[in-house]
Amino acid sequence: MRPDLERRPAMPDTLLAVGTRKGLFLARSTGDGPFEVEPVRFSTIGVHSVAIDTRGPAPRILAGIEYGHFGPSVMWSDDLGETWQEAGQAPIAFPPDTGAALTRVWQLQPSLSEPGVVWAGVEPGALFRSEDGGVTFSLVEGLWNHPHRAQWQPGFGGLCLHTVLPHPSDPKTLAVAVSSGGFYRSSDGGASWEAANKGIRAPFLPEGSQYPEFGQCVHKVDTHPSRPERLFLQHHFGVYRSDDFGGSWTSVGDPLPSDFGFPLAVHPDRPDTLYVFPLQADLDRTPVDHRCRVFRSDDAGTSWQPLSKGLPEGPVHAAVLRDAMCASRAGIFFGTRDGEVYGSRDDGESWFSVAEHLPDVLTVRAAVL
């Protein structure tokens, strides 16, 4: 057969989960066809975190929901969202002796090395662990009892533990990010923790005190399973890289038109490729020059290029939140605060619309089925 007539390999089916301030939207694509957005689940209920756990015989969707005055909870579905279940008692709850109450579930992250284990990052600034696939959780007391915790200050969005990074092969190694506590890592499965913020500047502090041990306002951190020692971090004031799992950090945001932003995602196959969505500044949280552009680096942050083909060309004022961008083998996806969701199947070179006019997008996750 002539090369120009050879058929391309079939694209796998994709599930996209979009958590919004008023419900969860699931979209499916068969092969490389368009996404079909299904009717809203949990209508009028905030969905702040989503995970698609593909480790078992069937995918499990986990959703961190907020019932309003009924409080937050975690639901799960084992039939791609057709039906949902919830534990008989609150799946995530602080022990009475902590004197704390759960405000929000910011992150749901399946372990990469332990079957059945799911991590949950919550507000106020705590980590929980599940050993039954996300049905019930227990507090990770090593982090809760860390002496720094009492001095953490909430960011604008609250005192949220928004990022959990389990090591791909070593269950004893993991890291978390807290706003505004900073980046912390553990080498003993969470029994003990150390702050790992060396080199991250906090310019709001006085001269001579701008590199504190902790207290940095970290917005998002990501890594690649093939190079877990290399981390990329979007800070309130900068974009950083670490080559020693947070032992030290180097700024890589200077070539960007602005190093302020919230989301950051690493390419699923190329550990030196990452994506950010720069905003004007912390007091003007709109896209730089009011242009909808994702910036990609293919050399671990040394240089950056804007990607906008297929994105809106007119003035855009909507930001992208910290968990509203993901990079998976299904593609690169992000959602905006005005309810628009975009995807790319060619690493960001071109974009297509997945959904329009949704509520404020809080989280986006994609998986190959």
Side-chain angles (χ1 to χ4, degrees):
M1 179 181 292
R2 283 168 35 202
D4 59 324
L5 296 180
E6 290 180 356
R7 296 183 61 187
R8 291 181 301 164
M11 290 286 291
D13 292 350
T14 297
L15 174 67
L16 185 68
V18 181
T20 76
R21 203 165 295 280
K22 295 184 178 180
L24 173 67
F25 294 85
L26 299 177
R28 299 193 214 184
S29 171
T30 300
D32 56 1
F35 279 85
E36 298 292 334
V37 182
E38 300 175 357
V40 62
R41 273 83 165 175
F42 310 118
S43 179
T44 75
I45 295 174
V47 180
H48 294 270
S49 53
V50 176
I52 305 174
D53 189 351
T54 58
R55 297 173 299 174
R60 168 169 287 187
I61 307 173
L62 295 158
I65 66 175
E66 186 177 1
Y67 277 122
H69 65 275
F70 291 111
S73 187
V74 175
M75 306 281 286
W76 79 89
S77 173
D78 291 331
D79 54 11
L80 298 180
E82 294 300 319
T83 60
W84 293 84
Q85 301 179 64
E86 184 180 17
Q89 297 181 332
I92 300 180
F94 283 92
D97 61 359
T98 63
L102 181 66
T103 302
R104 188 167 296 153
V105 181
W106 281 87
Q107 182 87 154
L108 291 164
Q109 177 62 59
S111 169
L112 303 179
S113 60
E114 295 179 284
V117 171
V118 177
W119 300 94
V122 310
E123 181 185 347
L127 180 66
F128 283 76
R129 173 186 167 98
S130 172
E131 296 183 353
D132 54 14
V135 177
T136 60
F137 292 80
S138 59
L139 177 66
V140 178
E141 295 188 1
L143 185 61
W144 182 256
N145 294 325
H146 195 284
H148 291 173
R149 188 187 61 80
Q151 302 175 65
W152 292 346
Q153 297 296 318
F156 183 75
L159 185 59
C160 54
L161 195 157
H162 52 71
T163 299
V164 185
L165 297 174
H167 193 278
S169 59
D170 179 7
K172 295 294 185 182
T173 300
L174 70 155
V176 300
V178 183
S179 179
S180 294
F183 185 77
Y184 285 76
R185 61 186 183 180
S186 174
S187 59
D188 54 15
S192 63
W193 295 80
E194 65 172 340
N197 301 288
K198 183 179 180 181
I200 301 177
R201 180 171 176 256
F204 53 86
L205 295 176
E207 286 289 342
S209 304
Q210 294 185 348
Y211 292 90
E213 181 185 5
F214 65 96
Q216 285 82 350
C217 188
V218 177
H219 286 175
K220 197 63 187 175
V221 189
D222 202 7
T223 186
H224 190 279
S226 72
R227 292 198 65 178
E229 75 284 356
R230 169 170 283 176
L231 304 169
F232 296 96
L233 182 151
Q234 173 70 68
H235 185 252
H236 193 96
F237 296 99
V239 181
Y240 291 85
R241 185 184 78 220
S242 172
D243 294 321
D244 53 8
F245 200 63
S248 60
W249 296 89
T250 302
S251 174
V252 295
D254 290 344
L256 289 165
S258 169
D259 60 9
F260 177 82
F262 285 91
L264 182 150
V266 176
H267 191 281
D269 296 318
R270 303 203 303 267
D272 287 342
T273 296
L274 65 152
Y275 301 83
V276 297
F277 192 94
L279 303 179
Q280 301 263 54
D282 59 339
L283 296 180
D284 183 1
R285 301 185 179 196
T286 58
V288 174
D289 299 326
H290 296 144
R291 298 172 62 189
C292 188
R293 293 178 295 174
V294 174
F295 279 72
R296 185 185 73 204
S297 173
D298 293 314
D299 50 17
T302 301
S303 63
W304 298 85
Q305 60 175 307
L307 308 169
S308 60
K309 183 179 178 181
L311 296 177
E313 296 182 359
V316 173
H317 296 265
V320 178
L321 296 178
R322 74 177 85 239
D323 233 24
M325 176 186 287
C326 72
S328 76
R329 286 191 168 87
I332 317 300
F333 300 90
F334 72 92
T336 70
R337 299 208 68 180
D338 61 1
E340 311 298 299
V341 181
Y342 300 97
S344 173
R345 289 187 170 118
D346 56 8
D347 302 332
E349 292 295 326
S350 63
W351 299 88
F352 56 88
S353 174
V354 175
E356 299 178 337
H357 314 312
L358 301 183
D360 188 356
V361 177
L362 307 178
T363 182
V364 176
R365 290 292 181 269
V368 173
L369 301 179

